[in-house]
Amino acid sequence: MQSNDLEVIDQLLAWHAAGHHGALLTVLATFGSSPRPAGSLAAIRDDGLIAGSVSGGCVEEDLRHEITNWTAWPTDTRVATRQFGADAEARQRYRLPCGNSLTVAIETHWQPPLMQSLADHIRQHHCMVRQVRLTDGHTSLRPARDTDRFQQDSGQFSAVHGPTQRLLIIGAAELGRYLASIMVTLDYAVTVCDPRPEYADSWQVPHTILTTDMPDDVVQAFHCDTRTAVVAVTHDPKLDDLALIEALRTPAFYVGALGSLATNQKRRDRLHRYFDLSLPELDRLHGPVGLPIGSRTPAQIAVSIAAHLIAVKQQHATPVNAPATACRA
């Protein structure tokens, strides 16, 4: 699997290559609860096929009906906008959540070379800003800065596409594979570190980077910042501890390790006693890693870790040392 943005762009380009017209849809604004944030992409082909979504299904049928009923593909390059849920009657019609409204941009003359360039950048783990002028559809790309967010005014909008966060996974075994696959779909640039050939040699998760260097060297070279998460899942202290010693001293927004409460307490004691990590640094360690959803299988544990990463990034995290996932001593 790959990120939603990349899936939509690839589908749009494939339709174009096959001789179809396709409209590119971008969420411009939401008010109230919304399943898709501003900047989200979808596409509708001239015969009604849909890729992605702008509302989770509430307004797509109206947009599909509009686009498939055009007697001719628009020649005007201006970007059209549609607002849904402007009043209570409209919200009821579109089954939008209470108090919700949604504004969508419709681009009928998006530029294939530019969209191909954007897809290539996303595959290379580059985060990009796509700026679109509403009056004539003129579009430009530039590398994103850490401070870039979706912006929209009466004349244009700027959307951020590509991996906005980075994840370094220590461990290429089954759990690492599940976790990497999930996080790629969440717009994370995923790097996996495992010096063990029995795991590294069979790594086949698309859109990820594999390194077989030692974990401490990899963390140092990774230059962890506030967009970075580090998760150690080998369950081998000789590898996990090397990564944690370095990661806990960085600004990484999330540092976690697999293991039971008892295992992680022993790890904290060990890192404090023998490697001089301070108590505030150790307080940053999420261990057991993940949210407490009763997970036991590698796939379930990967889901719990992904959910915890989302919660921490959105500042809705459980306490660092709260019991998280099922005991895995």
Side-chain angles (χ1 to χ4, degrees):
M1 297 181 69
Q2 56 193 23
S3 71
N4 177 264
D5 284 357
L6 193 53
E7 286 186 351
V8 170
I9 295 168
D10 280 350
Q11 188 64 77
L12 197 62
L13 290 167
W15 292 343
H16 176 78
H20 281 279
H21 290 298
L24 178 62
L25 313 177
T26 304
V27 176
L28 293 185
T30 63
F31 180 78
S33 60
S34 172
R36 303 289 286 139
S40 299
L41 296 181
I44 299 180
R45 201 166 77 173
D46 50 14
D47 60 359
L49 288 183
I50 300 176
S53 72
V54 292
S55 73
C58 296
V59 305
E60 277 79 3
E61 184 56 35
D62 268 48
L63 290 165
R64 180 178 179 273
H65 184 267
E66 175 182 350
I67 290 168
T68 56
N69 278 277
W70 289 334
T71 55
W73 200 252
T75 58
D76 193 340
T77 61
R78 287 179 297 180
V79 178
T81 60
R82 300 289 183 268
Q83 184 176 12
F84 301 91
D87 53 39
E89 181 180 352
R91 287 191 291 274
Q92 178 65 28
R93 175 189 171 194
Y94 296 115
R95 307 183 307 280
L96 292 167
C98 181
N100 183 265
S101 65
L102 176 72
T103 305
V104 177
I106 305 174
E107 297 172 64
T108 54
H109 290 272
W110 51 274
Q111 302 162 35
L114 185 142
M115 296 306 292
Q116 182 62 64
S117 177
L118 178 56
D120 293 342
H121 278 295
I122 294 174
R123 283 194 174 85
Q124 295 167 30
H125 294 177
H126 299 161
C127 194
M128 305 294 292
V129 171
R130 187 173 71 100
Q131 190 170 57
V132 181
R133 200 159 57 203
L134 300 178
T135 54
D136 59 6
H138 179 269
T139 307
S140 61
L141 285 180
R142 65 167 175 82
R145 298 180 289 265
D146 287 347
T147 56
D148 280 320
R149 300 291 185 272
F150 180 86
Q151 293 184 329
Q152 188 257 333
D153 57 33
S154 59
Q156 65 181 18
F157 67 87
S158 298
V160 180
H161 301 286
T164 55
Q165 283 91 39
R166 302 186 300 159
L167 172 62
L168 174 59
I169 302 172
I170 311 300
E174 189 176 22
L175 173 54
R177 293 197 299 271
Y178 281 118
L179 181 58
S181 298
I182 293 171
M183 299 314 295
V184 164
T185 69
L186 298 176
D187 282 332
Y188 274 73
V190 178
T191 299
V192 177
C193 166
D194 203 323
R196 302 169 298 179
E198 62 268 30
Y199 295 111
D201 289 352
S202 62
W203 184 260
Q204 295 181 349
V205 179
H207 312 296
T208 63
I209 296 171
L210 173 70
T211 174
T212 56
D213 294 337
M214 292 303 292
D216 52 342
D217 295 331
V218 172
V219 174
Q220 289 179 7
F222 214 64
H223 302 295
C224 299
D225 55 19
T226 57
R227 300 184 304 116
T228 306
V230 180
V231 177
V233 297
T234 71
H235 219 308
D236 181 349
K238 296 189 298 293
L239 297 177
D240 288 348
D241 285 7
L242 287 176
L244 298 173
I245 290 166
E246 300 299 331
L248 289 169
R249 291 170 170 150
T250 74
F253 78 86
Y254 188 102
V255 180
L258 189 67
S260 66
L261 284 169
T263 297
N264 273 283
Q265 187 55 55
K266 292 177 182 177
R267 174 181 285 120
R268 290 183 176 89
D269 294 341
R270 185 170 62 245
L271 296 181
H272 180 56
R273 178 177 301 180
Y274 298 112
F275 298 98
D276 296 325
L277 265 72
S278 68
L279 294 179
E281 288 170 338
L282 290 169
D283 283 343
R284 298 183 56 236
L285 176 61
H286 294 279
V289 68
L291 286 180
I293 61 173
S295 53
R296 294 189 180 276
T297 68
Q300 292 172 346
I301 297 167
V303 169
S304 77
I305 296 171
H308 203 197
L309 282 163
I310 294 170
V312 170
K313 195 61 181 175
Q314 299 296 335
Q315 298 181 346
H316 294 297
T318 55
V320 169
N321 295 327
T325 51
C327 178
R328 296 179 296 277

